[in-house]
Amino acid sequence: MAHKTPLGSSAPPTSCLDLWREKNDQLVRQAKVAQDLGLSLRRQQLAQDALEGLRGLLHSLQGLPAAVSVLPLELSVICNFITLRASLAQGFTEDLAQDIQRGLERVLETQEQLEARLEHGLRELWDFVLHVSSLLPEVLPALHHLAGLQAALWLSTNHLGDLTFLLQTLNGSQCRASEDLLLLLKTWRPPAEESDAPLTLQDARSLRDVLLTAFAHRQGLQELITGSLPRALSSLHEAASSLCPQTVLVQVYTALGTCLRKMGSPQKALLYLIAALKGGSTWGPPLLEASRLYRQLGNTAAEIESLELLVEALSVSDIPEAPQLLIEVELLLPRPDPASPLHCGTQSQAKYLLASRCLQTGRAEDAAEHYLDLLALLLDVSEPKLSPPPCPPGPCVPEVFLEAAAALIQAGRAQDALTICEELLSRMSSLLPKRPRLWKDARKGARESPHCSPWVSATYLLQGQAWVQLGARKEAISEFSRCLELLFRATPKDKEQGPASSCEQGCTSDVALQQLRAAALISRGLEWVASGQDTRALQDFLLSVQVCPGNQDASFHLLRTLRRLDRRDEATALWRRLEAQTELPQENATWSLPLYLETCLGWIRPPDCETLLAEFRTSLLKTCDL
């Protein structure tokens, strides 16, 4: 069948076509030479010159009427230009879609069918061009190459519906009903290029393999995040078994480790994480996942070691490698979001995780040192005065100060803890209300934060505990009283304030404020007990039971005090309630407290509660016998 050309036009002379093709081939060779030079100014200059040369060649070709005999070369030049431009920019830009559209329009120009299709979008344009191209077999290889670039652009911008439609059209009737993108990519068979075809930076089959790996990787991660673990495992295995570059393989192995850990196969997960650590220089994500795995297994020493290695790995700047001047898998992958197993955060976030886990697992001395290192990291870039904006993932900066102070007290370094508390108070001073007001009124000030009072109250509480450790009872009672004064004029909720960050919710929730009040009352009550003032202690313990009815520690301290004061009837009634509570099945708490508060509550927990109940039971029996 004779090919149609626009009326009054003809193919350019063969000599021109040969010159254009020679120019294309020379520019492709130049780009490949640049690719082998590594990171250097020479490489950048050669690649940029090649890009500009392709742009100029394309301008020359598209300045003439479209001709079937030139289309394979013109489409190849478009593909080379898009490939080089996207690789240099490390991403697809909006104008690259326009280059693709212009190429499709040139195909339609040769068939005198452009005007009827100009009003349609890119998706419909592809559908029409691919049907028309059955009349142009010599254009098919270059057209499939251009389709591969369109697929890469739509995958990188998450236009999966358009990508599915394109692949269905490329595959023809055999896959028209399928919407499985992995299946469609596997089924797609780009036609082989002729031996005398123009040179290209990357052919359609290579692009298909990149797309297959990138989509399997993206889909596996998304399924892992949403909890579809069996499907995630299948997708990630598909990515690992495809032509996967080493850097991407490390990511896939890490995600497989996460998936298998969540599916209850820790040993298999560990094998993948070891392979990920052996396979590349990006150790952050597999080390973080290894720490989670060891925590799940109860191997605290290995967990802490993994976190130490993570901090060390994130402190070393990666030496950037020159990206290939091709469409690579990495180019089509989104940046890991915080929910992704490939997100390992910053050095300071890893340091916080290490410090907090040391504090939670009883490694107080290590925790104290890690918190001090962390504060040094944070304060290098902090403002002179501390403001408490949300900083996910992890706690707000004031909470890091509070946890650091708690760790120092736990490690027996009370004086250092006081220094940390004083620093926090000085940084928070400008944000506090200047006179007693309800929270709703306090929040009207432009520089006053609704979350400052709980943090400052907690600071006073920790200062009190530091003075307890130093044996300064008067100072301790004074700090506990300041904490309570601030807490009892605070109302925890203000719905007009809007959503708070996770750390703000933690410090201002009803439960946290109740427990903070109880901790301050119990702490002051214990100091009254130590100074022989049981009546005052009784008042604080009674109030702590009222403000936080679910805190059994307050009830046990109250029971001891009632017993010492020989208030037998009240003590007996309280003992019966505690006995009844211990016989009930214990429900897991549905809330969590800030770590500094959990640590503080651990210090004031009464010892041997069961022994106290048993002794009280025995004394009651003796009384009954008498």
Side-chain angles (χ1 to χ4, degrees), residues 6 12 29 45 60 104 117 159 195 214 249 263 300 304 308 353 423 449-450 490 543:
R29 291 190 192 97
Q45 189 61 55
S60 298
L104 298 179
R117 298 292 164 177
H159 286 75
S195 58
L249 194 59
M263 293 178 76
T300 304
I304 297 298
E308 289 171 344
L353 188 55
E423 176 68 18
S449 166
L543 190 53

Side-chain angles (χ1 to χ4, degrees), residues 164-273:
T164 301
F165 179 83
L166 176 61
L167 289 169
Q168 288 171 338
T169 309
L170 287 169
N171 287 326
S173 58
Q174 56 180 328
C175 288
R176 178 63 73 174
S178 174
E179 294 189 356
D180 184 340
L181 268 172
L182 273 179
L183 177 61
L184 290 168
L185 283 165
K186 287 180 180 180
T187 309
W188 178 31
R189 295 287 184 270
E193 293 180 349
E194 298 292 337
S195 58
D196 60 345
L199 288 183
T200 54
L201 284 167
Q202 186 174 19
D203 63 26
R205 293 186 178 186
S206 170
L207 259 178
R208 189 271 316 273
D209 294 338
V210 167
L211 287 162
L212 180 61
T213 303
F215 178 72
H217 183 289
R218 289 171 65 111
Q219 180 169 269
L221 278 181
Q222 189 58 41
E223 289 165 344
L224 180 54
I225 291 169
T226 58
S228 304
L229 299 182
R231 295 179 62 183
L233 191 65
S234 174
S235 297
L236 292 168
H237 275 309
E238 183 68 51
S241 62
S242 60
L243 293 175
C244 199
Q246 193 64 35
T247 52
V248 176
L249 194 59
V250 169
Q251 298 180 21
V252 173
Y253 282 164
T254 302
L256 280 167
T258 303
C259 189
L260 287 164
R261 171 178 64 83
K262 291 183 175 182
M263 293 178 76
S265 300
Q267 297 306 322
K268 289 182 180 179
L270 190 56
L271 291 176
Y272 275 109
L273 294 177

Side-chain angles (χ1 to χ4, degrees), residues 131-142:
H131 282 95
V132 166
S133 66
S134 61
L135 306 174
L136 308 169
E138 64 269 48
V139 177
L140 271 181

Side-chain angles (χ1 to χ4, degrees), residues 250-251 254-255 258 273 276-277 281-292 310 313-314 336 340-345:
V250 169
Q251 298 180 21
T254 302
T258 303
L273 294 177
L277 289 168
S281 58
T282 306
W283 295 322
L287 282 170
L288 180 58
E289 179 54 33
S291 74
R292 293 171 180 147
L310 173 62
L314 292 176
S340 168
L342 303 180
H343 179 85
C344 62

